[in-house]
Amino acid sequence: MGKSSTASSSTRASLGWDAERSDFHHSQPKNMKAMGVDREWWLRYVNHNLLRRKIDLRRLIIAIIVFLALSMVIFEVTHHELYRLAPFQNPPLAPVPDVPGQCTTWPVDWKGRYTPSLERENNTVRLESFAPKGGWKKPVGIKIVALVFYGRKRTVDFLDCYLQQNLAANGGYVDEIRFMVHTNKEEDLDYLRDLVSRREEHYHIVEANTCEGSSYGCIWDSIVEDDTIYVKIDDDIIFIHPDAIPQLVHTRIATPHPFAVSANLVNSPLTGYEHFHVGAIHAFRPDPREKPSHPAAESWRPSDKSNFPESSLPKLNISDLRSIEFNDEIFPPRPYFGHPFLLISDDPFDLMKSPMGLNYLHGGNKGVESMYEKAWKSWAIASQQQYSLLKNLEDNTIAHYFFGSPQDFPKGKNTSAVAVKHAAENKGGPGAEQLYNTQYKRYNLNFVALWGHDIKAALPIAEDDEEDITVTIPKRTRRPFVIDTRSVVGHLSFYPQHDGVRETDLLDRWRAFANEMVCTPQNQKSPFDKRCPGF
C-alpha cells in the first residue's frame, strides 16, 4: 500500500506540471502499473486526447474569428437601415454643437450619416390649391427669374426642392434661378458651386463683388431686364406653397401700379399679428423639459408629439398683467438642442398663454405696432408662427392665412407701357384677389416680386434695401408696397432670432416636410450634422 500510494502521488505530480516532457518515458519502468492501470497505455491515451483538444481549440478560435469578421461586414452594410429601424440607438457621447442649429434630431449614425427613406407617408397631406379654373397657366411674353440671396447651405439644401418644383421646365413659372452670392464662407460657397454644377441649365451664380456685410444695395444693380418679373427669395425661406409664385406673378401683372408685391410671410411682425387675429396662430410653447423625452425620428407633423403638460404651464393671471414676467415668457430659456414646441390645446383662449399671446397682452392699449419689436427679436414668437404653419399644413387649412381684399389703384401708372399692356390682357384673370396695402410702413423683403424696368428706374438701391424698397421708393414714386395674402411662404428667422430658432427642431421638420411633400425621390435631403445630445 505504501509503495503504491507513493507511486500514485509521483504520477499525479508529474502529470500536473510536466506531463509533456520528452524524457518522461525514460525515467519510468516500461510496465509500471499505478492502481491497476498500465502506465504506457495511460500515457498514450492522455497524449492523444491532449493533442485532439489542442486541434479542437484551434478550430474553435478560427471559427470565432470568422464569425466576428462576417458580423462586422454585415453590420457595415446594414447599419444605416438599422438606425432607421432602431432610432433609440444613440451615439454614446453626442457632442454639444459649437454653432446652434448644427445638429440633428434625425436618427443619423455615429458619423453623422443618414440614408433618407424613399417611402412616403401613407397619410401624406394633399395641399389645397386655389388655382383658377383650368389650373395655373404661365403668362406668355414675360420672363420670370428667381433671385436667391444666398449665404447659407443648410436651408438652401431643401429650398432647392421648391425651386425645382417651380421651374418652368417642370411645369412651373420660373425660367431661371440666379444665386446672388452674399457670403465668403468657403463651406457654403463650395456647396453652392456643387449644386449649380448639377443644375447648370437653369441655375446660375452671380457674384456680389463689393456687396459685403449688411450692405445689399449693389446686389440689385444687374436686375434691370425689361419684360422680366424678378421674384426675390431669401435663402432661409423654408416653405413655399405651390400656389405662391403663380399667385404672386399674376398679381404683379394684374396690378402694375404698386412698386412691388410681397408674398404673405409666416414669421414677420406685421403679417404675424394679422395671422394672430384671423385664427392662423395656435397655442404652442417650447417643451418645458430639460432633455429629450422622445427618440430621434424624421418627422414634421406637430400631432406626432403629445400636448404641452398642463402641470408645467406658468400660473398666469391674465387680468393682472403685473404678475407676468413677460421677458421670461417672450424670451424663454432654451431647454436643449433640438427641442420641439408643443400645442397647449385647440382652445383659442389658450393662445393667450403662448409667447405671441403674452406679447399681445403686454401691448395692451398701445396698439399692435408696439408688439412688432419683440416679435422681430423673439425666437419663441418666430418658432410659434412656424409650428402653427406646420399644424395648418397638417390640417390642410392654408386659407386661414388669407386676409385683405381687392384694391383699386390708378390705371396706367407704371414706368413701362409693357406692364400696362400685360395688365390689360390679364383683365378678368387671376391675381390681386386679397391684397393688403402696407401704407408705407416698413415690411420684410424676404419674398417679393418686382418688374425689371421698375428696379432700373429706381437705381441705385440703398444699402438698406428693405427700407428703400418698402418705404422710401414707394413714397417717392407714390406707388405703394402691397402684400398678396394668398401667396403664403414660410421664413425661418431674423438676425436676433437665429440662435434660438436653430436650437429647436424646426430645420429638421422643414426638411422632413420637403422630403415628403416636395422633393423628388432622386432629390431627397439628409442632415449635414451629427445627432443632437440626448437623442
Side-chain angles (χ1 to χ4, degrees):
M1 278 294 289
K3 285 183 181 180
S4 181
S5 234
T6 303
S8 179
S9 297
S10 175
T11 300
R12 286 197 299 270
S14 297
L15 289 173
W17 66 271
D18 205 15
E20 292 186 0
R21 280 182 54 181
S22 60
D23 61 345
F24 181 87
H25 296 290
H26 301 292
S27 61
Q28 303 294 336
K30 267 192 172 182
N31 296 319
M32 178 182 176
K33 289 188 176 182
M35 299 186 69
V37 178
D38 184 273
R39 169 76 57 183
E40 190 170 323
W41 176 88
W42 170 253
L43 291 172
R44 283 199 307 271
Y45 174 81
V46 169
N47 286 337
H48 172 74
N49 281 277
L50 283 174
L51 180 61
R52 188 171 65 185
R53 287 175 185 172
K54 286 174 66 178
I55 293 171
D56 289 345
L57 181 61
R58 191 175 294 120
R59 288 174 177 168
L60 179 62
I61 292 172
I62 292 171
I64 291 172
I65 292 171
V66 170
F67 173 77
L68 290 174
L70 287 172
S71 298
M72 291 175 68
V73 170
I74 293 169
F75 176 78
E76 185 62 26
V77 170
T78 62
H79 74 285
H80 289 303
E81 190 61 26
L82 287 173
Y83 270 92
R84 175 180 296 284
L85 295 175
F88 52 85
Q89 296 185 14
N90 319 350
L93 292 172
V96 175
D98 295 329
V99 179
Q102 294 192 6
C103 69
T104 181
T105 61
W106 285 16
V108 298
D109 68 12
W110 296 352
K111 295 183 179 179
R113 296 175 300 193
Y114 182 72
T115 303
S117 172
L118 297 183
E119 297 179 6
R120 302 283 176 152
E121 290 273 352
N122 292 329
N123 58 339
T124 293
V125 176
R126 295 182 63 86
L127 297 182
E128 185 176 6
S129 173
F130 294 84
K133 188 176 181 180
W136 295 110
K137 292 180 175 60
K138 186 178 185 297
V140 177
I142 300 174
K143 184 178 180 181
I144 299 167
V145 177
L147 307 170
V148 179
F149 279 38
Y150 176 79
R152 295 160 288 195
K153 70 178 185 180
R154 278 176 173 76
T155 46
V156 168
D157 183 47
F158 56 86
L159 176 60
D160 168 58
C161 294
Y162 292 97
L163 298 176
Q164 289 287 305
Q165 183 184 61
N166 281 282
L167 277 174
N170 296 329
Y173 273 42
V174 177
D175 297 297
E176 178 188 346
I177 296 162
R178 299 178 194 172
F179 290 89
M180 318 301 285
V181 175
H182 196 265
T183 184
N184 54 12
K185 292 183 178 179
E186 282 303 318
E187 176 189 359
D188 294 306
L189 291 172
D190 288 344
Y191 168 82
L192 180 62
R193 294 185 193 109
D194 178 66
L195 177 67
V196 171
S197 70
R198 292 182 279 114
R199 314 255 195 272
E200 56 187 10
E201 184 179 356
H202 302 291
Y203 286 17
H204 307 284
I205 295 175
V206 179
E207 298 291 346
N209 297 323
T210 57
C211 278
E212 296 179 358
S214 59
S215 172
Y216 287 89
C218 63
I219 289 184
W220 296 92
D221 289 350
S222 64
I223 305 169
V224 294
E225 296 163 88
D226 292 331
D227 300 333
T228 301
I229 292 177
Y230 294 97
V231 181
K232 186 261 191 182
I233 303 173
D234 272 4
D235 65 352
D236 64 343
I237 292 295
I238 37 74
F239 167 76
I240 302 173
H241 191 278
D243 288 346
I245 289 179
Q247 176 71 35
L248 199 62
V249 166
H250 283 288
T251 295
R252 177 66 288 190
I253 294 169
T255 55
H257 178 63
F259 180 73
V261 182
S262 173
N264 186 358
L265 289 174
V266 174
N267 186 21
S268 164
L270 192 155
T271 45
Y273 273 102
E274 295 295 336
H275 301 158
F276 182 88
H277 282 288
V278 296
I281 302 299
H282 299 279
F284 283 93
R285 289 179 60 96
D287 186 356
R289 304 171 184 90
E290 295 181 355
K291 59 184 180 180
S293 60
H294 54 280
E298 181 182 349
S299 170
W300 65 268
R301 291 169 171 77
S303 65
D304 289 343
K305 302 288 186 295
S306 59
N307 280 9
F308 192 95
E310 188 174 348
S311 60
S312 297
L313 280 171
K315 304 301 180 184
L316 302 177
N317 184 352
I318 301 297
S319 61
D320 182 7
L321 301 181
R322 293 170 300 176
S323 69
I324 302 173
E325 295 293 337
F326 281 101
N327 279 339
D328 290 344
E329 294 296 327
I330 299 169
F331 302 94
R334 306 196 287 268
Y336 56 87
F337 286 96
H339 66 90
F341 271 45
L342 305 175
L343 183 68
I344 300 173
S345 78
D346 288 317
D347 185 342
F349 186 78
D350 281 338
L351 190 58
M352 295 305 174
K353 303 172 186 175
S354 70
M356 284 192 79
L358 291 166
N359 187 40
Y360 184 81
L361 288 174
H362 189 239
N365 58 3
K366 298 177 184 177
V368 70
E369 290 189 24
S370 67
M371 308 164 204
Y372 288 169
E373 182 179 2
K374 283 187 172 65
W376 177 67
K377 291 181 178 179
S378 169
W379 68 270
I381 289 177
S383 300
Q384 182 182 353
Q385 291 179 73
Q386 291 178 67
Y387 282 95
S388 294
L389 176 56
L390 287 165
K391 176 171 170 53
N392 290 325
L393 291 172
E394 184 177 1
D395 296 343
N396 207 359
T397 53
I398 199 71
H400 285 180
Y401 289 98
F402 300 171
F403 60 96
S405 61
Q407 304 268 330
D408 290 326
F409 298 109
K411 306 298 181 183
K413 296 289 186 180
N414 194 282
T415 58
S416 169
V418 173
V420 176
K421 172 178 172 288
H422 282 297
E425 292 174 351
N426 185 68
K427 189 173 182 180
E433 296 87 354
Q434 289 179 269
L435 300 182
Y436 179 91
N437 190 335
T438 61
Q439 298 293 356
Y440 309 103
K441 287 184 295 191
R442 180 171 180 144
Y443 187 60
N444 311 114
L445 207 62
N446 302 91
F447 204 105
V448 61
L450 304 99
W451 282 104
H453 59 261
D454 281 338
I455 299 171
K456 181 165 61 176
L459 291 176
I461 303 297
E463 289 189 4
D464 185 353
D465 60 340
E466 185 171 276
E467 176 73 14
D468 211 25
I469 290 173
T470 66
V471 178
T472 307
I473 296 171
K475 282 182 177 179
R476 185 174 71 236
T477 60
R478 300 177 66 176
R479 297 173 60 194
F481 184 96
V482 300
I483 300 169
D484 186 333
T485 67
R486 288 195 179 192
S487 175
V488 179
V489 302
H491 168 234
L492 185 66
S493 59
F494 297 109
Y495 175 74
Q497 303 168 343
H498 282 349
D499 287 357
V501 170
R502 282 161 173 74
E503 288 185 22
T504 70
D505 65 356
L506 276 169
L507 268 182
D508 287 330
R509 285 178 182 261
W510 287 121
R511 187 191 310 108
F513 179 89
N515 272 353
E516 181 183 326
M517 303 291 295
V518 186
C519 305
T520 64
Q522 297 76 32
N523 195 27
Q524 295 286 289
K525 305 301 183 178
S526 298
F528 288 101
D529 308 298
K530 293 185 179 180
R531 207 181 305 180
C532 293
F535 283 91

